[in-house]
Every structure is written in C-alpha cells, then in structure tokens.
Amino acid sequence: METGSVTTPFGRRSMTLGMLASQVMAGEIKPDQSVDKWKLFRALCEAKPLLGIGDRALAVLNALLSFYPKNELAQGNGLIVFPSNIQLSLRTHGMAEQTVRRHLAALVDAGLLLRKDSPNGKRYVRRDRAGEVDEAFGFSLAPLLARADEIEQLAAEVMAERLHVQRLRERITLCRRDIAKLIEAAVEEEIPGDWQGLYREFRDLIEGLPRSPTTAQLELLLDELTGLRTNILNQLEIQVKSTKQRGNADYIERHIQNSNPESISEVEPGFETKQGATAEPDNDRGAVTAEKGRGKATHPFHQMEEEQSRRPGGRNDGGGLKSFPLGLVLQACPEILAYGPDGAIRNWRDLMAAAVIVRSMLGVSPSAYEEAANVMGPENAATVMACILERGGHINSAGGYLRGLTRRSEKGEFAIGPMLMALLRANAPAGRKVG
C-alpha cells in the first residue's frame, strides 16, 4: 500500500515543484474513486497533443498499465507498478532500455506518473506473511486516477477540434467545386464579366494555403471562398434576371445552342469544342480538324478576351485573336520554361524564342509556324506551340494540328481561352488541395 508521504527521486535526479504538485494531487484521490485503465488510456491517446507526450511515451505507459493487475484503477487496489526496464523493453516490443528510461522521464515530467524510489533506486515489493503487498517501490499510477476527469475533457476537446477541421475541409471542398463550375458555366455561356480575373483570384486563394494549415487558416480560407462564391452568384443572378426581362426566345435559344454539354476538362486534346462539329482527317498533314456543323461555333473565352483588350495585359494580334497575359500562359504551360534562354522565360521575346525550338523539336515545318504567326500573331502562335508541347502525347501530328488551328483562326472559329483554362486545371498543384 502507498504510504501517502512525499518521496524524492533517487540519485542525481532532482526534486521539482511539478513533482511535488503531482504528489499533492495524488494524495487528494477519493477512497471510492476508480476508472477503467484502458478507457483512460484511449482518452490519453486522443489528448496527447495537449498533454505534450508522443506515441513512444504512450507505448511505455501502455506497458506499465499491463503490469497493473486490475482493470479498474483504484486506491484500494494499490497504484504502484514495479517492472524492471528489461520487462518494460519486452512489452514495448524490444524498445531499447535507454529509450524506455527517456520516455519514463517524459511521463513523469508530464505529470502522468510518480516515482516512488526505494533507498537503492531499485523497483521491488515487500509482502506480508499472507502474501499481500506491504510496500512497493516503482511507479505510481495515482496521477492518472487523480487527473482522469481532466484527461477525458482534453480528449473531448481534441475530438471536437478534429471534427471541426473535418467539416471545414468538407465545406471548402464544396465551395471550391461551386466556384470552379460557376466560372466555367459563365465562360461557356459568354456572360460578360472578368472571369479570368476571378479565376486567378480563386487559384491564388487555394495555392496560398500551407501544406499543413491551422484551423484559423482554414476558417479564413472558407470565409474568402464563400465571399468569392457570393460575388460570382450575384453576377450570374443579375444576368439571369436580365435574360428573363428581355423575354427574347431567340436570345435564350442561342445560349442553349452554345452551351457545351461536357466540361472543358473532358474535351478532346485540342481543348476547343464546337456544337455539332464533325472530325475528319486533313489530307495535307494528317491533322484532325473540326468542320462547322449545324450549330454555331462557340468561343467560351470571347467575352473574357474582350475585357482583356481594354487592359494593358490584353492585345489584339493577328486574326482577331487576343493574347493572354504571359504569366497565365506559363502557369498553364510550364513545360516550355525549360526551352527558354537559360531555362527561364521572362518576357514574350523569350517565349517566342522557346517556341521556335519547340517547333523544330516537334517536327513542325517553318512554313506552318510562319503561317500561324501571320494569322494569329507571333505571341498567340508561340502560346499555341506551348499548349501543343504541354499535351504533345495526345497529338499525333503537331504540324498538321497547327495548320488546322490556323485555318480555323482565319475563319474566326478558334479561341485560345479554352485551351489555357483546361491546362490550368490540369496543372493545378494537387498538394495544395483541401478536403
């Protein structure tokens, strides 16, 4: 049985006020107080981040509890266990004795164990003539019993926090999906608005999240994404109300015909999609081109390009195409960076120089590339080459494919926007995703 007196540690180990406080707390255990040791151990495993202990310290504590003969920790059963370090090493699956001693010290420092050292520092027990324990020297489990309510409360807090984080991640995932699909719908329906800017803002929010975010960072991200989604919905609702007020059946029918039933991310490697298009081989270069069917050719980024033309970042090059910001092109097509001067692309001149190298590498003839530059403009031709390089494994003839895009650009049937948007989604960093 425990004597209830204060004991100091053996040898060089010093006495601390924390040890004294733990002994005082252990002395206040009620005679009828008890707790299931394994239930308490499970609560300890949950509460370990708040208690400042690690997995290996818990493994040592688990071994100590296995030496306690009863399932219920209670004052009447005695609360001291006295296994040797060799026995503890065996029950911790071969943990080194030095490591066992280190984690025993960590459990004492955390206030979960008390040392009751013998005069020579050994762990042993004295029994009476009836075989009952008279006095034992080893480790007292009394702090566990004294702090049982506190440990269970800490475990409940950790579990509540984990559930809160899980729900935050779920809501962030739903919000991300809503924003991406709403922007995609707005672009495909050619609804006026700075959808490229909103998409960049969306990606900046997602990519700004650390790999292991805190709860506060997740809450902030959710608030910002919710605000962005509300902004997008407001713009779309205004457009819907405007459409209803017009009551123009032809206007509504045009939007129905222009709507793409498939996601941009699911279209063929060319990235552009056209209602009613039929594919047939190009007799000259073996490329696959899309000829105009009954429906009108769609240009999902047409409005976005018009908005860009009013800003310094958007320019009208050849063939009626608008060039996109260089940063957006490089984000969508990072493969071409390796072909820039010194392995970097700092301006449009570097991109066009890299495109010439890529043209030669992919087997595109100088005449095909020159024709594309004349029709689309040199910047857009370089952008298209970067897109072709990015999806080179899906294109059988890069030269024929480029000629096909050049002809479509001459007819006003080709837009670069869908290509870049599809590649932006494909190259989005997976490691930054939530949920």
Side-chain angles (χ1 to χ4, degrees), residues 269-271 328-339 345 351 355 358-359 361-362 382-395 398 401 419-428:
F271 307 104
L328 179 66
V329 174
L330 296 179
Q331 186 179 358
C333 309
E335 292 290 336
I336 202 167
L337 287 168
Y339 300 92
I345 293 178
L351 179 65
V358 170
R359 171 200 66 72
M361 182 186 72
L362 296 180
T383 300
V384 171
M385 284 306 307
C387 293
I388 292 175
L389 174 66
E390 198 70 21
R391 294 298 301 273
H394 300 272
I395 300 172
Y401 186 76
M419 301 174 71
L420 293 176
M421 178 63 81
L423 287 171
L424 275 171
R425 283 200 299 271
N427 291 327

Side-chain angles (χ1 to χ4, degrees), residues 82 161 274 406:
F82 38 87
E161 177 71 7
K274 181 170 59 179
T406 302

Side-chain angles (χ1 to χ4, degrees), residues 159-169 215 219:
M159 288 187 286
E161 177 71 7
R162 184 167 60 242
L163 181 60
H164 177 55
V165 170
Q166 179 183 349
R167 289 176 175 171
L168 280 176
R169 290 183 179 276
T215 303
E219 290 172 344

Side-chain angles (χ1 to χ4, degrees), residues 29-37 72-75 77 145 148:
I29 296 174
K30 298 177 182 178
D32 60 344
Q33 187 175 349
S34 66
V35 65
D36 184 285
K37 65 179 182 180
E72 292 287 326
L73 289 177
Q75 186 84 328
N77 296 332
L145 182 57

Side-chain angles (χ1 to χ4, degrees), residues 322-394:
K322 310 294 188 300
S323 62
F324 286 80
L326 179 62
L328 179 66
V329 174
L330 296 179
Q331 186 179 358
C333 309
E335 292 290 336
I336 202 167
L337 287 168
Y339 300 92
D342 300 324
I345 293 178
R346 304 171 187 84
N347 48 49
W348 282 106
R349 182 176 299 176
D350 289 349
L351 179 65
M352 287 185 280
V356 172
I357 297 174
V358 170
R359 171 200 66 72
S360 176
M361 182 186 72
L362 296 180
V364 177
S365 66
S367 61
Y369 185 75
E370 182 179 358
E371 182 183 5
N374 290 335
V375 173
M376 302 179 186
E379 295 180 356
N380 284 324
T383 300
V384 171
M385 284 306 307
C387 293
I388 292 175
L389 174 66
E390 198 70 21
R391 294 298 301 273
H394 300 272

Side-chain angles (χ1 to χ4, degrees), residues 43-286:
L44 276 167
C45 292
E46 292 286 353
K48 66 179 181 179
L50 301 182
L51 292 170
I53 55 175
D55 295 339
R56 306 201 77 184
L58 284 173
V60 173
L61 182 58
N62 179 77
L64 282 173
L65 289 173
S66 70
F67 284 100
Y68 188 77
K70 306 286 186 179
N71 280 334
E72 292 287 326
L73 289 177
Q75 186 84 328
N77 296 332
L79 292 169
I80 294 181
V81 290
F82 38 87
S84 67
N85 286 341
I86 294 177
Q87 291 173 314
L88 285 174
S89 178
L90 291 173
R91 293 208 184 180
T92 53
H93 307 287
M95 185 183 293
E97 290 186 38
Q98 183 178 1
T99 306
V100 169
R101 287 194 293 270
R102 186 170 68 251
H103 291 301
L104 285 171
L107 290 169
V108 172
D109 292 341
L112 300 176
L113 288 181
L114 278 178
R115 294 183 186 273
K116 186 179 180 183
D117 288 343
S118 66
N120 62 2
K122 302 294 184 180
R123 298 170 208 154
Y124 59 85
V125 62
R126 286 199 181 97
R127 300 181 185 274
D128 58 23
R129 292 184 178 182
E132 297 295 328
V133 176
D134 182 41
E135 189 172 18
F137 297 97
F139 290 100
S140 173
L141 303 175
L144 291 177
L145 182 57
R147 299 179 64 184
D149 292 341
E150 175 196 352
I151 291 169
E152 291 176 355
Q153 178 63 32
L154 291 175
E157 291 177 10
V158 171
M159 288 187 286
E161 177 71 7
R162 184 167 60 242
L163 181 60
H164 177 55
V165 170
Q166 179 183 349
R167 289 176 175 171
L168 280 176
R169 290 183 179 276
E170 289 173 351
R171 293 173 64 188
I172 287 172
T173 299
L174 292 174
C175 205
R176 287 181 59 180
R177 184 179 69 191
D178 292 346
I179 291 172
K181 289 186 177 290
L182 288 171
I183 291 178
E184 182 177 334
V187 171
E188 291 180 353
E189 295 287 347
E190 301 181 18
I191 295 175
D194 183 18
W195 303 114
Q196 179 188 343
L198 290 172
Y199 183 79
R200 281 201 303 268
E201 180 182 351
F202 169 56
R203 293 309 313 171
D204 289 343
L205 289 175
I206 298 302
E207 293 169 8
L209 190 69
R211 186 174 294 274
S212 299
T214 63
T215 303
Q217 288 171 329
L218 289 174
E219 290 172 344
L220 178 61
L221 176 63
L222 179 60
D223 289 342
E224 292 174 332
L225 289 177
T226 301
L228 180 59
R229 179 176 61 182
T230 301
N231 181 20
I232 295 170
L233 282 173
N234 288 339
Q235 293 188 46
L236 294 178
E237 286 174 2
I238 292 173
Q239 182 66 27
V240 169
K241 291 177 182 178
S242 174
T243 302
K244 288 183 178 179
Q245 290 174 356
R246 294 183 196 182
N248 188 328
D250 293 337
Y251 177 83
I252 297 174
E253 179 64 23
R254 179 172 67 84
H255 274 280
I256 293 175
Q257 289 180 353
N258 286 350
S259 296
N260 180 10
E262 297 177 325
S263 170
I264 294 176
S265 61
E266 298 171 351
V267 300
E268 63 181 2
F271 307 104
E272 312 84 43
T273 172
K274 181 170 59 179
Q275 189 75 16
T278 59
E280 62 184 36
D282 185 317
N283 294 329
D284 182 32
R285 292 283 179 175

